């Protein structure tokens, strides 16, 4: 079952912050975040493991609430290069990574 | 060159024909995956493989067949293509992990159109 992402789309001005949420009905072992630009393959951003670790990547960070099976991706001081579609992928026990439907992020000047 | 490559990048075929999409990686990654991407559905897992000769179904396996006789190759076959299989197909690989899946490295994708 695919995790649910919200919002489906968001428009930001440069310098603004955004939060993308990902939730699952299953007990999760890990959560991945990827970004995909139009016409390209998804690119890895980060992994969060069971245990509620918060990890960062430049100005992008994420958290994982193990009890709620939810993860959030935080983008601060957005840049034009942040535009793209963000996908969370969830792993629940088996060696399958199931992706959400994505959140389209548009950063405008 | 090192990396993960898919072929063909573009393919047009007709309903009922057999199509094979190839995926080759040079990292000796244990795990390989096939996803399809359709507007409104995101990425959906078709099949995955933990090692040579070990494959398992994902979310949407119907109409697809995979094999993995060598670690580096993971072909995806549509035995009798249907229009609903028109999609962009991504192959991905991941290095050996323990319990958690590691970073996925994606190929450039294969755009398949079934007429």
């Amino acid at each position: 079952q695919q995790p649910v992402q919200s919002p489906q789309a968001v428009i930001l001005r440069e310098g603004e912050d955004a939060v993308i949420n990902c939730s699952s009905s299953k007990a999760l072992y890990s959560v991945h975040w990827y970004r995909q630009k139009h016409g390209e393959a998804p690119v890895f951003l980060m992994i969060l493991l069971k245990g509620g670790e918060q990890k960062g990547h430049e100005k992008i960070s994420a958290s994982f609430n193990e009890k709620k099976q939810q993860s959030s991706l935080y983008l601060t001081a957005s840049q034009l290069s942040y535009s793209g579609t963000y996908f969370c992928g969830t792993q629940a026990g088996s060696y399958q990574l199931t992706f959400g439907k994505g959140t389209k992020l548009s950063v405008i000047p | 060159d090192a990396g993960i490559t898919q072929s063909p990048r573009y393919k047009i075929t007709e309903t009922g024909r057999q199509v094979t999409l190839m995926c080759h990686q040079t990292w000796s990654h244990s795990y390989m995956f096939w996803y399809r991407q359709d507007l409104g559905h995101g990425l959906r897992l078709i099949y995955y493989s933990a090692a040579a000769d070990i494959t398992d179904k994902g979310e949407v396996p119907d109409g697809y067949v995979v094999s993995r006789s060598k670690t580096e190759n993971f072909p995806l076959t549509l035995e009798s293509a249907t229009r609903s299989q028109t999609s962009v197909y991504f192959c991905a690989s991941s290095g050996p992990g323990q319990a958690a899946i590691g970073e996925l490295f994606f190929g450039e994708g294969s755009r398949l159109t079934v007429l």
Side-chain angles (χ1 to χ4, degrees):
Chain A
Q1 189 173 5
Q2 287 183 290
V4 177
Q5 286 186 233
S6 64
Q8 292 184 341
V10 59
I11 299 174
L12 298 175
R13 292 197 177 275
E14 275 187 291
E16 291 183 336
D17 302 339
V19 180
I20 300 172
N21 300 303
C22 175
S23 65
S24 174
S25 58
K26 297 183 177 181
L28 300 178
Y29 195 86
S30 71
V31 178
H32 291 218
W33 286 97
Y34 292 78
R35 177 171 61 207
Q36 184 180 32
K37 294 189 178 287
H38 184 69
E40 300 180 5
V43 174
F44 172 79
L45 292 175
M46 64 189 70
I47 296 174
L48 299 105
L49 303 179
K50 188 171 69 171
E53 292 184 63
Q54 184 163 358
K55 298 203 169 189
H57 176 75
E58 298 178 344
K59 294 181 181 178
I60 301 174
S61 62
S63 63
F64 176 26
N65 186 322
E66 183 184 339
K67 291 183 179 179
K68 294 185 177 181
Q69 308 308 324
Q70 293 176 347
S71 178
S72 294
L73 186 72
Y74 306 94
L75 300 101
T76 58
S78 59
Q79 305 168 13
L80 294 176
S81 62
Y82 286 5
S83 293
T85 301
Y86 289 77
F87 292 96
C88 69
T90 56
Q91 179 190 5
S94 67
Y95 219 83
Q96 294 188 47
L97 194 65
T98 304
F99 286 94
K101 295 183 179 181
T103 296
K104 185 175 182 180
L105 177 73
S106 301
V107 181
I108 58 176
Chain B
D1 290 345
I4 181 166
T5 55
Q6 294 183 229
S7 62
R9 293 289 313 281
Y10 302 91
K11 176 76 176 177
I12 299 174
T13 190
E14 295 178 337
T15 300
R17 291 191 179 267
Q18 183 179 81
V19 176
T20 296
L21 305 179
M22 304 300 293
C23 180
H24 175 79
Q25 52 102 355
T26 60
W27 294 302
S28 298
H29 281 169
S30 301
Y31 294 90
M32 296 188 74
F33 307 81
W34 273 107
Y35 289 91
R36 61 176 290 175
Q37 185 171 35
D38 306 287
L39 199 62
H41 291 280
L43 293 153
R44 291 182 292 175
L45 181 64
I46 305 171
Y47 270 94
Y48 65 104
S49 170
D53 298 322
I54 301 175
T55 62
D56 208 346
K57 296 178 180 179
E59 305 164 74
V60 289
D62 293 344
Y64 303 95
V65 175
V66 293
S67 62
R68 195 167 177 204
S69 57
K70 294 184 178 181
T71 300
E72 61 267 29
N73 297 323
F74 191 37
L76 176 73
T77 298
L78 290 68
E79 292 191 309
S80 179
T82 64
R83 290 181 181 172
S84 64
Q85 293 177 309
T86 292
S87 186
V88 178
Y89 291 85
F90 285 101
C91 178
S93 70
S94 176
Q98 296 183 351
I101 298 172
E103 172 184 354
L104 260 59
F105 295 87
F106 284 86
E108 293 179 298
S110 295
R111 183 176 294 274
L112 176 67
T113 300
V114 183
L115 301 176

